[in-house]
């Protein structure tokens, strides 16, 4: 089928707008404009494998390591931690004579901890490697020579290769488009993975390469491309093609970028320009910033404190040893070696003290928890696993679960203060439905939007709740709104959303319109029929979509450049104007009316297309109908269209403006439709100017085209407006309400216009009636030109100052303010000292909405909030334009929606729907914060309790550096005997269940207020460790000192006392963690009590080994300690004494100053939530942060309003 294949007969030569132009042939001297040294020999890839070319391969890797670099880089990563460096030095010194421990006891724990961390790194990197190989092993058809194509893996593609990419395939590299199955070389490209946009882009080849349209034509094809060097700019390209003895200019319209997808085109041919990491998408791939949680940062300071303590007691020990050596060692004749060295030299006490300082630093090193880092990493990985497997965060529609893409920030989820959210695709579905329209000043569309529907239903519930719960004896209530509710609490979950089964779902995707006046041809009975007809024709003609016939339904589906455009075409079809075909230079519209049985196909010749851009905010097509009339059909933003209307084109302006405002209040996206009739001569004159601008070469070509287009898009006649609905995602209002009750602040950062963002704010209950809106805007363009930037800055500063003053002077405790600002104003604020004043104002407001913001501004606002408040920020978005914001925030959450995976790939956590953010933060965030905080505090406690006993014994042993514990005891303490219980605490601990977390959202505030890892609690745990160490050491010394230990009257030796002390430590720290836990599973019981049992089993087994191995511990438990009652009595007494203060403290706190979760635990334990529903409801109503946003705030505002009216009415009745 190389020559005989069916080719689409679509020719777009005359359709290209000024943003999509045909390149022109350049003269040789024009090559100087190409800034870059890259030369590509087309169809001759072998020439690029030699210097000076030698371009990189198409193999891409996002891994952190490879086989060669893994060991050195991973080792470097591990020893960036100060604690690990310390233990490495200690392990090295353990090989010398000054070490108090054997080399094995120092090296083995370090090797285990570092090895486990490296294994975790290897596992995570191997997953990235697997993902990379899935991409690298994709297949694409490549020209192998002599006109023969064959499949080859992506990673074997070379610069200069000619590739054949088929429909719905991704482009394997950056390609120059040579030809396509369309006769004039256009193709449609989906760039979702690059820029997050779902609309299709049109690309087109050079005319000179159109003949390269089958495999055989590449037998003798050659050419040379001179172009720019690799760079990250997705929207620019400078280069030229030397082909057939001519040089042709290249621009971005001919470039197909890697990771974009071919759509609506059978196949295309292209030549590879940039491969692998030279491609533009890989040039844009930035490394995610290194993020650390607040607990981890604070943990470093605690480590520094412990280091200071370590150095302090080491210095004390070395001074003591130097003094002992100088003044007392000479008198101890029985200890004098025959030949002294510098370690025990009374004549050099200073040098002796220095050597002992090193010994002491090693000996007391157990103050620093060596297994802390690896235990935290293990715990966080397991926590992330539970998040990933949470069925309540699984989206059945898409099949996407929640995913913790990094486990380093789990506890940070429980400390979020501010959420910065995108709107489109995050709060909304990015699914457009045609809902309402205004034609000739008449509004059509009876169906309510989600905003209207939710508002009506919520208000009905509010009214019912308010009236039924209003307390009649006003004077008894003291004006309190808390007593307004009865036993049955108003729950947001009872609000019926548009997804309720009673709501009729639209049967046609993209079309939710209901109005019998327009359906089934009834519009023919309306006045101004001609205006209606033209309205529908604009919907069907003013577009750039491609129709595809669905064989199953017999209807046409449309591949449009935007969801709005697709909704318009579906609406036009339902109104009887079906876009069914696109030919070389025309579109065919099948019109069913006035005779539905005999539809008429009308052809409209497309003369020019002036495409929609974010700058123009409008799209126009110039067409010639079958009668020879030339029409300009235009659709765009109402603010743009209205200023271009002619005097006689404003007949319907007033009515249409009123309808547009109503649509905006209903949360709908609006466009205005207009037209203009052109004379032949007028059009010919304009077209000459337009063609001159198109063919001009220079930097001002775009400006010229814009100016010429603007000349034509004037004197328009308004005929109506459209309103489409971008639906809210399921559960968004409920989620926002719960997050607000948890005390979180929520900002919206969106690129949409202010009206749309405000409407969505009302829909989400971020805004409500009665909330005072503060809009910060710049002056109009005329004033800006006249007075300059300084005047604009002063104007903005005055607005900020006045707004701040208004908030301070407001005496109403229930007053709520919303700050609304646009991107143009932010441009001035973010570059000036005003940003701190802006932040201060924003913090004082209940809601903040930033409109028309660019991706860079999103990131800058996020940075401002993060650095200005010093509190934890979370950014959530779904598109490539949200990547900067996601990476800038302390925590980035990506929504795996319809805008590609760029946001997800850049995020720390990904969820399928915004509503899952509630559970991610309020449940998992709360749990993880408390688990990690308690776990770290316990680590410091147990290591201080253990490490200081070594120091105390030193004082009793003349600071000789002698350890009271066997080396194997020391080795097993952190690695085995106390590691598993603390891991179980970090993984399974729950102060309350997930259901209770959601019912009592105020519990979340324990994280932002940092109640479980503040200095008071940290120092308290460290003090508990000091106390325990004193009790363990001195109580055992008192018990065993000068007393018979065995039946034969023998006193206890060092091995006996040391083993007893170690037994007490194991019991004390494991009982302490058991007291700390609120939630027990069989796993925790196994780990806690199993650790104690493991200690006794070790003593038995270790004692059974040869005395050459076990030394003084030979048969110690079986023959010495076991038979001695004093050993068991000491263990019991010391364990109780160590844990008694903590037990007394927690008992006192729960009785006299309980925390929120203590109260809930008591209620659940005594089942009061079942037996006393009134108390349970009362406690739930208390467990909400005072908030001025969300549905709950709306209900309370409404209650206050009704209370005021009734009180006023009551007062009037009494007065009368």
């Amino acid at each position: 089928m190389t020559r005989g294949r069916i080719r689409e007969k679509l020719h777009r030569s005359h359709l290209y707008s000024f943003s999509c132009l045909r390149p022109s042939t350049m003269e040789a001297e024009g090559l100087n404009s190409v800034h870059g040294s890259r030369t590509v020999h087309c169809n001759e890839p072998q020439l690029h494998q030699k210097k000076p070319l030698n371009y990189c391969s198409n193999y891409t890797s996002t891994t952190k390591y490879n086989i060669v670099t893994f060991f050195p880089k991973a080792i470097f990563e591990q020893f960036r931690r100060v604690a690990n460096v310390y233990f490495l030095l200690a392990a090295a010194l353990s090989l010398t004579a000054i070490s108090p421990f054997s080399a094995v006891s120092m090296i083995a724990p370090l090797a285990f901890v570092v090895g486990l961390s490296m294994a975790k790194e290897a596992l995570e990197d191997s997953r990235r490697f697997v993902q990379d190989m899935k991409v690298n092993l994709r297949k694409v058809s490549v020209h192998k020579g002599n006109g023969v194509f064959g499949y080859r893996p992506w990673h074997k593609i070379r610069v200069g290769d000619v590739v054949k990419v088929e429909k719905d395939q991704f482009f394997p590299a950056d390609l120059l488009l040579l030809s396509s199955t369309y006769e004039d070389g256009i193709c449609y490209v989906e760039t979702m993975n690059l820029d997050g946009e779902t609309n299709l882009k049109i690309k087109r080849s050079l005319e000179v390469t159109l003949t390269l349209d089958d495999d055989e034509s590449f037998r003798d094809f050659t050419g040379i491309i001179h172009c720019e060097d690799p760079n990250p700019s997705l929207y620019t390209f400078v280069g030229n093609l030397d082909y057939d003895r001519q040089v042709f200019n290249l621009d971005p319209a001919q470039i197909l970028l890697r990771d974009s997808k071919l759509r609506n085109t059978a196949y295309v041919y292209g030549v590879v320009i940039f491969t692998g990491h030279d491609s533009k998408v890989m040039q844009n791939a930035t490394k995610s910033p290194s993020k650390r949680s607040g607990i981890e940062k604070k943990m470093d300071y605690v480590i520094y404190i412990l280091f200071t303590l370590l150095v302090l007691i080491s210095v004390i020990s070395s001074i003591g040893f130097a003094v002992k050596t100088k003044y007392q060692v000479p008198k101890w004749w029985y200890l004098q070696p025959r030949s002294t060295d510098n370690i025990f030299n009374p004549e050099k006490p200073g040098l002796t003290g220095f050597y002992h300082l090193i010994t002491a630093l090693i000996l007391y090193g157990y103050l620093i928890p060596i297994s802390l880092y690896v235990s935290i990493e293990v715990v966080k990985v397991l926590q992330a696993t539970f998040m990933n497997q949470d069925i309540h965060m699984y989206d059945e529609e898409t099949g996407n679960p929640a995913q913790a893409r990094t486990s380093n920030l789990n506890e940070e989820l429980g400390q979020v203060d501010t959420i910065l959210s995108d709107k489109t695709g995050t709060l909304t579905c990015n699914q457009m439905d045609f809902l309402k329209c205004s034609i000739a000043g008449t509004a059509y569309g009876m169906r309510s939007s989600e905003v209207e529907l939710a508002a009506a239903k919520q208000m009905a519930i509010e009214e019912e709740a308010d009236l039924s719960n209003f307390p009649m004896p006003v004077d008894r209530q003291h004006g309190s709104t808390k007593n307004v509710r009865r036993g049955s609490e108003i729950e947001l979950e009872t609000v019926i959303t548009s997804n309720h089964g009673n709501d009729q779902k639209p049967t046609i995707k993209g079309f939710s319109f209901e109005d019998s006046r327009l359906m089934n041809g009834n519009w023919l009975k309306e006045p101004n029929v001609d205006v209606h007809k033209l309205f529908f024709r604009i919907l069907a003609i003013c577009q750039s979509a491609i129709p595809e016939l669905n064989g199953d339904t017999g209807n046409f589906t449309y591949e449009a450049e935007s969801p709005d455009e697709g909704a318009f075409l579906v609406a036009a079809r339902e109104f009887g104007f079906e876009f069914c075909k696109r030919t070389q230079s025309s579109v065919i519209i099948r019109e069913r009316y006035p005779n539905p049985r005999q539809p008429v196909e009308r052809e409209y010749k497309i003369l020019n297309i002036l495409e929609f851009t974010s700058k123009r905010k409008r799209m126009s097509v110039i067409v010639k109908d079958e009668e020879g009339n030339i029409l300009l059909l235009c659709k765009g933003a109402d603010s743009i269209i209205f200023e271009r209307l002619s005097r006689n084109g404003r007949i319907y302006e007033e009515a249409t403006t009123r309808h547009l405002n109503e649509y905006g209040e209903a949360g709908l996206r609006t466009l205005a439709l207009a037209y203009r009739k052109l004379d032949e001569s007028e059009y010919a004159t304009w077209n000459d100017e337009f063609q001159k601008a198109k063919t001009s070469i220079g930097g001002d070509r775009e400006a010229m085209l814009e100016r010429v287009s603007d000349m034509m898009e004037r004197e328009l006649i308004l005929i109506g407006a459209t309103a489409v609905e971008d639906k809210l995602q399921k559960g968004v209002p409920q989620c926002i309400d719960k997050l607000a009750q948890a005390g979180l602040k929520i900002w919206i950062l969106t690129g949409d216009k202010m009206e749309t963002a405000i409407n969505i704010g009302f829909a989400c209950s971020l805004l409500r009636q009665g909330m005072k809106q503060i809009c910060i805007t710049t002056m109009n363009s005329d004033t800006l030109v006249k007075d300059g930037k300084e005047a604009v800055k002063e104007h903005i500063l005055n607005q900020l100052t006045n707004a701040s003053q208004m908030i301070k002077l407001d005496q109403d405790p229930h007053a709520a303010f919303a700050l609304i600002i646009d991107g143009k104003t932010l441009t001035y604020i973010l570059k000036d000292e005003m940003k701190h004043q802006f932040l201060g104002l924003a913090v004082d407001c209940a809601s903040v909405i930033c409109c028309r913001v660019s991706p860079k501004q999103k990131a800058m606002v996020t940075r401002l909030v993060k650095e200005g408040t010093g509190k934890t920020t979370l950014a959530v978005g779904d598109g490539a334009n949200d990547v900067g914001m996601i990476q800038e925030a302390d925590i980035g959450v990506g929504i795996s929606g319809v805008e590609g995976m760029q946001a997800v790939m850049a995020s720390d956590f990904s969820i399928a729907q915004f509503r899952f953010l509630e559970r991610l933060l309020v449940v998992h965030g709360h749990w993880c914060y408390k688990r990690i905080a308690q776990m770290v505090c316990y680590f410091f406690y147990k290591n201080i309790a253990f490490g200081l006993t070594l120091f105390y014994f030193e004082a009793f042993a003349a600071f000789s550096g002698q350890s009271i514990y066997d080396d194997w005891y020391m080795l097993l303490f952190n690695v085995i005997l106390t590691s598993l219980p603390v891991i179980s605490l970090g993984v399974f601990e729950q102060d309350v269940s997930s259901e209770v977390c959601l019912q009592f959202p105020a519990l979340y505030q324990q994280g932002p207020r940092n109640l479980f890892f503040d200095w008071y609690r940290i120092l308290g745990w460290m003090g508990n460790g000091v106390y325990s160490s004193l009790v363990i050491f001195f109580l055992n010394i008192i018990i065993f000192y000068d007393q018979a230990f065995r039946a034969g009257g023998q006193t206890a030796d060092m091995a006996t006392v040391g083993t007893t002390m170690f037994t007490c430590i194991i019991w004390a720290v494991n009982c302490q963690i058991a007291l700390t836990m609120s939630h027990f599973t069989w796993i925790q019981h196994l780990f806690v009590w199993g650790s104690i049992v493991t200690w006794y089993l070790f003593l038995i087994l270790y004692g059974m080994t040869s005395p050459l191995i076990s030394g003084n511990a030979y048969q110690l438990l079986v023959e010495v300690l076991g038979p001695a009652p004093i050993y068991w009595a000491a263990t019991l007494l010391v364990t109780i004494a160590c844990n008694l203060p903590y037990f007394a403290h927690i008992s006192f706190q729960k009785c006299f100053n309980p925390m929120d979760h203590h109260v809930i635990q008591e209620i659940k334990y005594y089942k009061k939530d079942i037996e006393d529903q009134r108390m349970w409801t009362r406690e739930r109503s208390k467990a909400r942060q005072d908030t001025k946003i969300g549905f709950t705030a709306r209900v309370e505002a409404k209650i206050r309003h009704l209370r005021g009216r009734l009180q006023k009415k009551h007062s009037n009745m009494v007065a009368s």
Side-chain angles (χ1 to χ4, degrees), residues 438-444 527-528 531-532 535 652 655-656 659 718-721:
S438 172
I439 308 174
T442 303
Y444 298 96
N528 302 306
V531 178
H532 284 71
F535 180 91
Y652 310 119
T656 304
H659 298 153
L718 179 68
I719 62 171

Side-chain angles (χ1 to χ4, degrees), residues 323-429:
V323 171
K324 291 278 187 181
T325 301
K326 182 176 182 179
Y327 296 107
Q328 295 185 12
V329 169
K331 301 177 183 179
W332 297 339
W333 55 268
Y334 51 88
L335 294 179
Q336 288 291 310
R338 294 183 178 180
S339 58
T340 60
D341 55 21
N342 291 329
I343 300 177
F344 301 101
N345 192 345
E347 297 178 1
K348 298 180 179 180
L351 186 62
T352 299
F354 173 75
Y355 279 122
H356 185 78
L357 176 64
I358 299 175
T359 301
L361 287 172
I362 300 174
L363 179 64
Y364 307 141
Y366 282 89
L367 283 171
I368 313 298
I370 186 173
S371 59
L372 173 61
Y373 290 111
V374 69
S375 297
I376 287 178
E377 287 184 354
V378 170
V379 164
K380 287 185 175 181
V381 168
L382 293 174
Q383 287 176 348
T385 302
F386 284 125
M387 288 185 206
N388 298 344
Q389 295 178 350
D390 189 342
I391 193 66
H392 298 289
M393 293 195 295
Y394 174 78
D395 185 40
E396 295 183 356
E397 292 183 8
T398 62
N400 291 330
Q403 184 180 9
R405 295 180 51 79
T406 177
S407 57
N408 296 333
L409 302 173
N410 294 353
E411 68 274 24
E412 202 81 338
L413 290 171
Q415 296 183 280
V416 175
D417 177 78
T418 305
I419 297 174
L420 301 104
S421 174
D422 176 41
K423 184 189 74 67
T424 304
T426 303
L427 300 178
T428 58
C429 300

Side-chain angles (χ1 to χ4, degrees), residues 48-121:
H48 306 116
Q49 296 177 348
K50 303 175 183 178
K51 292 184 178 181
L53 303 180
N54 199 24
Y55 299 135
C56 73
S57 70
N58 203 40
Y59 180 86
T60 58
S61 174
T62 59
T63 58
K64 191 175 181 180
Y65 312 102
N66 58 40
I67 295 177
V68 177
T69 63
F70 172 73
F71 190 77
K73 286 183 71 174
I75 286 289
F76 173 75
E77 287 291 328
Q78 294 305 312
F79 289 103
R80 288 174 65 183
R81 293 170 172 167
V82 180
N84 283 350
V85 173
Y86 165 78
F87 286 113
L88 178 64
L89 294 175
L93 292 172
S94 68
L95 299 171
T96 65
I98 61 175
S99 173
F101 305 124
S102 66
V104 174
S105 65
M106 294 300 297
I107 296 174
L110 179 65
F112 175 78
V113 168
V114 172
L116 199 60
S117 297
M118 289 175 64
K120 173 180 173 285
E121 288 281 316

Side-chain angles (χ1 to χ4, degrees), residues 14 92 101 140 171 227 241 268 290 330 693 747 830 849 1000 1049 1144:
H14 303 92
F101 305 124
V140 68
F171 298 114
C227 66
L241 171 64
V268 297
S290 179
W747 293 30
L830 295 175
I849 298 177
F1000 293 80

Side-chain angles (χ1 to χ4, degrees), residues 651-680:
I651 300 174
Y652 310 119
E653 181 180 11
E654 183 179 351
T656 304
T657 301
R658 185 174 65 255
H659 298 153
L660 285 169
N661 292 335
E662 293 173 358
Y663 298 156
E665 291 175 0
L668 304 178
R669 295 166 63 124
T670 59
L671 286 178
L673 274 59
Y675 80 102
R676 178 185 177 186
K677 187 174 290 188
L678 305 175
D679 296 332
E680 284 276 1

